Amino acid sequence: MELEANNSSTSTYDRIAEVKAFEESKVGVKGLLESGVTKIPHMFHSPKFNLNSTHETDSSSKFSVPIIDLQDIHVEVLNKIRSACKEWGFFQVINHGIPVSVLDEMISGIRKFHEQEADERKPFYTRDTSKKVRYFSNGSLFRDPAANWRDSIAFFVSPDPPKPEEIPYVCRDIVIEYSKKVRALAFTIFELFSEALGLDPSYLKELISPYGQFLLCHYYPACPEPELTMGTSKHTDIDFLTILLQDQIGGLQVLHQNQWVDVPPLHGSLVVNIGDVMQVNNVKCKYLSLYNNQSFCTFL
């Protein structure tokens, strides 16, 4: 993969050619590292991500993302959920019913997939959206001005799940188990949202049940020039709801009152984010969130 040479001169930089060569390799960012690059290709340079920003980043911020304990659901919990959605659009849940061992195994299984030999990963590499299992790097690679330093594997797991043999063997069992448990949790959260809005508890669950579930699993390999790129650029999610499982490395931030606030990893917790579609389609949900740097999530 001869991409590093284009890094030497921006005057001769041909982004289209560089992106094409990267895509045709079918081994993603991990493949660049396996080829021995010591400088990242120009297509990954994000010179403006840390400059001219109107938002402040302060790791010692007085703000902290709400943490909600779901072990004993009562009026106070509903009030906390209502407040978190209104003020943040973003919160963490603990004692949510999914065993920590399942969360840890899910992270481990996805890491194992990405750390296989290139020949094991290549057969799954595709941008064909009809495929229920897709391995790729940067979903909008050909549109974005700069690529993010990450690879991903995605699973469309409901309402029409892939056959077990379509899922990579190295993570097959845990993907199936995790997807079922996190979907059940999502429905519980929808019931709580409905109650917090003063609606029948089944309102949002019945509204959303016919829609699909999408697991998007990101992998961020070590970067030889981390000051030049990002793992995930700032964005909002276009779904109903995102349930995010972080690893213990950190890096996730949420924009709150014009300030980027760190979301420190809390082992065993899950991060919940209100998606754009819920805001648009449910007029009673007047929530807004904008955040940065996903690690691992499921979309509904």
Side-chain angles (χ1 to χ4, degrees):
M1 194 185 305
E2 297 179 0
L3 296 178
E4 189 172 15
N6 286 334
N7 198 37
S8 59
S9 174
T10 57
S11 63
T12 59
Y13 171 54
D14 184 343
R15 185 178 191 279
I16 295 176
E18 192 170 82
V19 169
K20 186 172 182 288
F22 175 76
E23 178 71 2
E24 290 177 350
S25 74
K26 297 187 176 183
V27 288
V29 171
K30 187 66 162 58
L32 290 175
L33 293 175
E34 290 166 343
S35 72
V37 299
T38 57
K39 293 185 177 297
I40 67 173
H42 196 280
M43 59 182 280
F44 291 97
H45 286 197
S46 302
K48 295 182 180 180
F49 83 87
N50 204 21
L51 301 174
N52 303 320
S53 175
T54 58
H55 310 303
E56 297 180 1
T57 298
D58 183 3
S59 60
S60 61
S61 169
K62 63 181 178 180
F63 299 118
S64 58
V65 173
I67 299 174
I68 298 177
D69 190 336
L70 298 183
Q71 186 169 30
D72 184 16
I73 297 173
H74 45 70
V75 174
E76 184 180 352
V77 171
L78 292 178
N79 288 337
K80 287 181 178 179
I81 289 174
R82 185 183 300 111
S83 176
C85 290
K86 182 178 180 180
E87 297 175 12
W88 287 81
F90 206 101
F91 56 92
Q92 294 192 80
V93 290
I94 58 174
N95 294 319
H96 41 67
I98 302 179
V100 175
S101 59
V102 172
L103 304 183
D104 289 346
E105 189 177 345
M106 185 63 183
I107 290 175
S108 176
I110 297 305
R111 181 181 295 117
K112 287 177 181 177
F113 169 80
H114 286 286
E115 293 179 353
Q116 294 179 109
E117 295 295 325
D119 288 344
E120 297 292 328
R121 307 193 306 270
K122 276 186 176 183
F124 295 95
Y125 198 96
T126 182
R127 295 191 186 274
D128 182 351
T129 56
S130 69
K131 300 288 187 181
K132 297 176 184 178
V133 178
R134 291 189 289 127
Y135 165 52
F136 57 94
S137 184
N138 287 259
S140 52
L141 178 67
F142 296 92
R143 299 192 304 271
D144 291 342
N148 289 150
W149 190 260
R150 71 162 187 264
D151 297 328
S152 307
I153 185 168
F155 307 89
F156 292 86
V157 292
S158 69
D160 184 21
K163 297 176 182 178
E165 57 268 26
E166 294 179 277
I167 301 173
Y169 175 78
V170 71
C171 59
R172 180 179 303 162
D173 291 344
I174 189 59
V175 165
I176 294 172
E177 181 180 8
Y178 176 84
S179 64
K180 290 177 180 178
K181 291 186 181 300
V182 80
R183 185 171 179 84
L185 173 61
F187 286 150
T188 296
I189 292 173
F190 284 136
E191 290 177 352
L192 295 175
F193 282 173
S194 296
E195 289 190 70
L197 290 166
L199 303 170
D200 184 280
S202 65
Y203 178 82
L204 286 175
K205 181 178 178 180
E206 291 177 357
L207 177 70
I208 295 167
S209 289
Y211 293 91
Q213 179 186 2
F214 179 53
L215 295 183
L216 179 58
C217 312
H218 294 319
Y219 176 75
Y220 304 93
C223 181
E225 295 181 297
E227 71 281 2
L228 297 180
T229 190
M230 292 195 73
T232 300
S233 305
K234 64 180 181 180
H235 64 282
T236 60
D237 280 349
I238 61 172
D239 54 9
F240 273 93
L241 181 75
T242 298
I243 298 177
L244 171 67
L245 169 59
Q246 290 195 81
D247 58 20
Q248 299 304 298
I249 295 175
L252 179 67
Q253 293 183 322
V254 55
L255 186 65
H256 180 67
Q257 296 190 14
N258 213 40
Q259 181 172 297
W260 289 110
V261 180
D262 289 341
V263 186
L266 179 61
H267 191 213
S269 72
L270 290 162
V271 181
V272 177
N273 179 60
I274 305 297
D276 295 342
V277 175
M278 185 182 290
Q279 297 176 50
V280 171
N281 288 291
N282 185 0
V283 295
K284 295 188 178 183
C285 296
K286 300 183 184 299
Y287 311 144
L288 176 66
S289 64
L290 175 65
Y291 60 95
N292 181 30
N293 211 14
Q294 289 181 315
S295 188
F296 176 87
C297 56
T298 178
F299 295 128
L300 289 167

